[in-house]
């Protein structure tokens, strides 16, 4: 039995007096494809941002790839992580957001090469070679010199995926990456994720309202509500035979809103 690549242990997180996550625990196995579903405001983005070290936690522990994320082990003691530790841990994880946030004044290939050159000191020629491979993988090799404004939303999102992959993360986080897209552009982005899942052994965590995609794609589904995991299981269990009343009513609402399950 391999060790989990992500181990979240009783973490809590408040914004002001509002407790977003309350003693949340979860584990993810290497290579696992996990779908996080649940109502708006249930803490899905917050947990991804915490894993990405974009938010601090108030309590609990997180292990990523065998190391503490927010703590450093020094002489058998756990100390709060310093910026250097966080920067090193951050390279294990890539994230793609709902809104593309590409650098608007940089062309596509420069968007992809920037982080490896700046944070890892990769030489331009090597960074560009890798960037072209990644752009080819997402079907955008011919757009390398285009500016973000010249791209469709689906193309921008595929560049954002290539950019996150350029740092060779072990774990990829996708936060509603198709929600801001016109319906006809959704599939091209989902296809890139399918391809990634098929061609790599990357661990992937995905927040989505595309329940049909989650059903086909995920090994396991976590249903979040009010900062807690209310129910988890294989896609068929969650989507076809949800046990908890809150999962059932959430899925009913999603279907009523026109989403395919
Ligand atoms: N930076 C922030 N400051 C204050 N409240 C926040 C912040 N980020 C998220 N929240 C609140 O935390 C709750 C959970 O948010 P979020 O994790 O984005 O939920 P989800 O992604 O499941 O919709 C929401 O009520 C949201 O308004
Ligand atoms: Mg969210």
């Amino acid at each position: 039995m391999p060790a989990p690549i992500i181990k979240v242990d009783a973490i809590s997180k408040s914004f002001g007096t509002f407790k977003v996550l309350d003693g949340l625990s979860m584990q993810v196995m290497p290579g696992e494809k996990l779908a996080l579903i649940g109502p708006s405001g249930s803490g899905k983005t917050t947990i991804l941002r915490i894993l990405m070290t974009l938010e601090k936690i108030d309590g609990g522990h997180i292990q990523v790839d065998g190391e503490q994320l927010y703590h450093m082990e020094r002489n058998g003691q756990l100390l709060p992580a310093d910026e250097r530790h966080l920067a090193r841990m951050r390279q294990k994880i890539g994230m793609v957001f709902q809104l593309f946030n590409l650098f608007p004044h940089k062309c596509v290939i420069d968007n992809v090469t920037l982080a490896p050159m700046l944070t890892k000191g990769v030489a331009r020629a090597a960074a560009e070679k890798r960037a072209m491979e990644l752009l080819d993988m997402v079907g955008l090799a011919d757009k390398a010199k285009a500016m973000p404004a010249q791209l469709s939303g689906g193309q921008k999102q595929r560049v954002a995926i290539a950019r996150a992959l350029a740092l060779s993360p072990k774990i990829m986080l996708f936060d509603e990456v198709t929600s801001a897209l016109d319906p006809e552009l959704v599939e091209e982005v989902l296809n890139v994720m399918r391809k990634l899942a098929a061609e790599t052994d990357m661990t992937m965590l995905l927040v989505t309202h595309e329940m049909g995609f989650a059903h086909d794609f995920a090994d396991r589904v976590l249903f979040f509500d009010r900062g807690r995991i209310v129910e988890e299981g294989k896609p068929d269990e969650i989507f076809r035979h949800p046990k908890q009343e809150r999962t059932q009513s959430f899925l009913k609402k999603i279907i009523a809103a026109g989403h395919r399950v």
Side-chain angles (χ1 to χ4, degrees):
M1 200 52 185
I5 191 165
I6 299 174
K7 238 168 123 172
V8 172
D9 188 16
I11 59 163
S12 54
K13 170 74 186 173
S14 296
F15 291 113
T17 57
F18 179 65
K19 203 157 202 181
V20 184
L21 300 178
D22 188 8
L24 180 79
S25 297
M26 60 187 250
Q27 300 198 350
V28 187
M29 299 307 284
E32 197 174 19
K33 316 290 177 253
L34 204 64
L36 281 58
I37 64 168
S40 180
S42 57
K44 307 178 300 294
T45 292
T46 302
I47 181 66
L48 294 195
R49 287 177 54 83
I50 285 172
L51 289 172
M52 199 61 208
T53 72
L54 295 170
E55 302 281 358
K56 295 238 162 4
I57 52 177
D58 303 328
H61 291 90
I62 300 179
Q63 247 187 41
V64 171
D65 197 23
E67 288 183 83
Q68 289 288 327
L69 184 60
Y70 284 98
H71 300 84
M72 307 183 294
E73 293 179 20
R74 292 283 183 278
N75 309 320
Q77 272 196 312
L78 276 190
L79 306 177
D82 60 16
E83 194 42 51
R84 201 160 144 240
H85 178 85
L86 290 176
R88 190 169 59 76
M89 293 301 287
R90 205 173 282 140
Q91 294 191 357
K92 296 174 188 281
I93 309 184
M95 182 161 177
V96 184
F97 301 85
Q98 176 174 1
L99 294 172
F100 329 111
N101 27 51
L102 297 178
F103 306 112
H105 303 299
K106 294 198 176 289
C107 70
V108 164
I109 191 163
D110 288 352
N111 263 279
V112 181
T113 56
L114 193 68
M117 288 171 63
L118 284 185
T119 67
K120 281 191 162 173
V122 178
R124 177 176 294 277
E128 289 189 346
K129 181 166 177 287
R130 176 79 180 127
M132 285 311 296
E133 290 168 5
L134 290 168
L135 288 173
D136 192 45
M137 200 273 293
V138 301
L140 290 173
D142 58 331
K143 297 287 184 195
K145 291 290 172 194
M147 298 302 286
Q150 298 171 290
L151 304 180
S152 72
Q155 291 173 330
K156 281 186 215 172
Q157 210 50 317
R158 288 187 280 149
V159 174
I161 293 172
R163 184 176 62 173
L165 291 171
L167 287 169
S168 306
K170 292 190 173 178
I171 301 163
M172 281 283 283
L173 311 176
F174 298 90
D175 191 5
E176 296 199 40
V177 293
T178 59
S179 325
L181 298 179
D182 291 334
E184 72 272 20
L185 302 179
V186 167
E187 205 55 30
E188 67 186 61
V189 175
L190 298 183
N191 277 336
V192 168
M193 291 196 269
R194 286 189 185 99
K195 196 166 166 187
L196 257 185
E199 294 177 5
T200 73
D201 55 4
M202 209 172 290
T203 306
M204 296 166 76
L205 273 65
L206 160 95
V207 172
T208 187
H209 290 297
E210 297 284 335
M211 297 299 155
F213 179 70
H215 192 171
D216 299 342
F217 177 85
D219 300 313
R220 188 155 57 99
V221 180
L222 305 184
F223 173 66
F224 275 71
D225 196 21
R226 293 177 225 162
R228 289 169 174 270
I229 297 167
V230 172
E231 185 166 359
E232 67 171 286
K234 294 203 182 308
D236 258 347
E237 293 166 5
I238 299 294
F239 291 123
R240 303 281 181 237
H241 311 286
K243 292 190 188 71
Q244 300 295 327
E245 192 277 325
R246 276 195 270 171
T247 318
Q248 292 164 1
S249 72
F250 169 75
L251 289 172
K252 261 193 208 124
K253 272 187 213 141
I254 282 277
I255 293 166
H259 289 272
R260 190 174 61 89
V261 173

